[in-house]
Each structure stands twice: as structure tokens, then as C-alpha cells.
Amino acid sequence: MQHEDFMREAVALARANVDAGGRPFGAVLVRDGRVIARAANEIHLDQDPTGHAELLAIRRASQVLGSPRLDGCVIYASGHPCPMCLAAMHLCGVSAAYFAYSNEDGAAFGLSTAAVYAQMEHPPQEQSLPLRPLLPQGEQGLYAFWQASRG
């Protein structure tokens, strides 16, 4: 299969998800030309706001591969990945991502995450969602404890 074939599959998942009452998002995760995982947005099923197609495909691929690392994997997404999904791709080592429909394409339908990307351009302390440090008094050594537990 080629890039366009994988993308057609992601878009087909998105269309089927719309037919099932969901949002128009599907994702296919591929390694070495082989589909490892497929997913469609599942927010409508359980009201989980993290039920994005890309995140679900990442979770499923990690289970199939038995690793939280997805180095060498490529994601094909029907829509422009949101910052949460893109961050997950970075964190697990996805090598590349492609999308069919842009934030601009989705804007007229309320399906753009461009405003979230704009917020992310600001330093954390200047974003609309306050992010502040709060280390409880007397708390220390959590990360050293974790490292020591790994033996």
C-alpha cells in the first residue's frame, strides 16, 4: 500500500464514524508498510474528550507492539491533528504524520483546533488555562524514588 491508500482508509473510517453518530475523524497507524492499528474518534460513545482517533490508534498500536515507543511508525489522519494528539505523537516517537483535511477546512464546521495551537504558542504562564507550580510543603524526591524503584 502507498501513502494515499492509507489516507483513503483513514478518511473511510471517518466517514463510517459519521454514519455511526460520531465525528469525522479516523486514523491509521502504519509501520514498515503494514497497518498496526486503526481507530475512529470515540467521543460520542463514552464522552471521553481524549477519545481522538489518533490517540486511540496510538494506544492500540502500543498494545499490539508491546511498547510505548512507536519509532518508525507513521500516522494517517483524516483531519489535522490537535495539539494533544500531536504531542502524543512526539512523546511516543511517531516518525511522521499526514492529514487529509486542514484546520482551515474544518473551521467553518467548528472542527478546527487552530485556537488551541495559538494558545500553545504562549509560554505556559501566559495561556488562558493557568498552569502554576504547587509542590506541597515537605514533598521531595518523587523522581529519585521512581528511578530507585527501577532497580
Side-chain angles (χ1 to χ4, degrees):
M1 290 183 82
Q2 299 296 320
H3 291 296
E4 194 168 309
D5 296 321
F6 295 127
M7 186 59 76
R8 284 186 194 284
E9 186 172 349
V11 172
L13 286 167
R15 288 186 181 278
N17 202 46
V18 170
D19 287 340
R23 297 168 62 97
F25 300 110
V28 175
L29 192 143
V30 175
R31 179 188 268 172
D32 298 327
R34 183 173 69 94
V35 174
I36 304 297
R38 299 168 176 84
N41 184 294
E42 293 183 1
I43 292 174
H44 67 292
L45 297 178
D46 56 13
Q47 309 312 305
D48 177 357
T50 68
H52 291 203
E54 299 93 331
L55 288 183
L56 295 171
I58 286 169
R59 290 175 191 152
R60 292 171 186 163
S62 292
Q63 291 172 348
V64 167
L65 297 173
S67 173
R69 297 296 307 166
L70 298 177
D71 301 289
C73 291
V74 176
I75 289 185
Y76 298 86
S78 62
H80 190 285
C82 75
M84 174 178 65
C85 293
L86 185 60
M89 291 178 209
H90 280 286
L91 289 169
C92 69
V94 166
S95 298
Y98 297 89
F99 62 90
Y101 290 91
S102 68
N103 271 325
E104 292 78 17
D105 295 327
F109 305 95
L111 298 173
S112 173
T113 57
V116 180
Y117 272 102
Q119 274 296 309
M120 301 302 283
E121 291 179 8
H122 300 289
Q125 297 77 13
E126 296 176 17
Q127 293 179 20
S128 63
L129 186 146
L131 178 64
R132 309 283 185 264
L134 177 61
L135 184 65
Q137 186 173 5
E139 174 56 43
Q140 63 183 22
L142 176 61
Y143 295 157
F145 171 70
W146 171 77
Q147 187 175 29
S149 75
R150 297 178 70 201

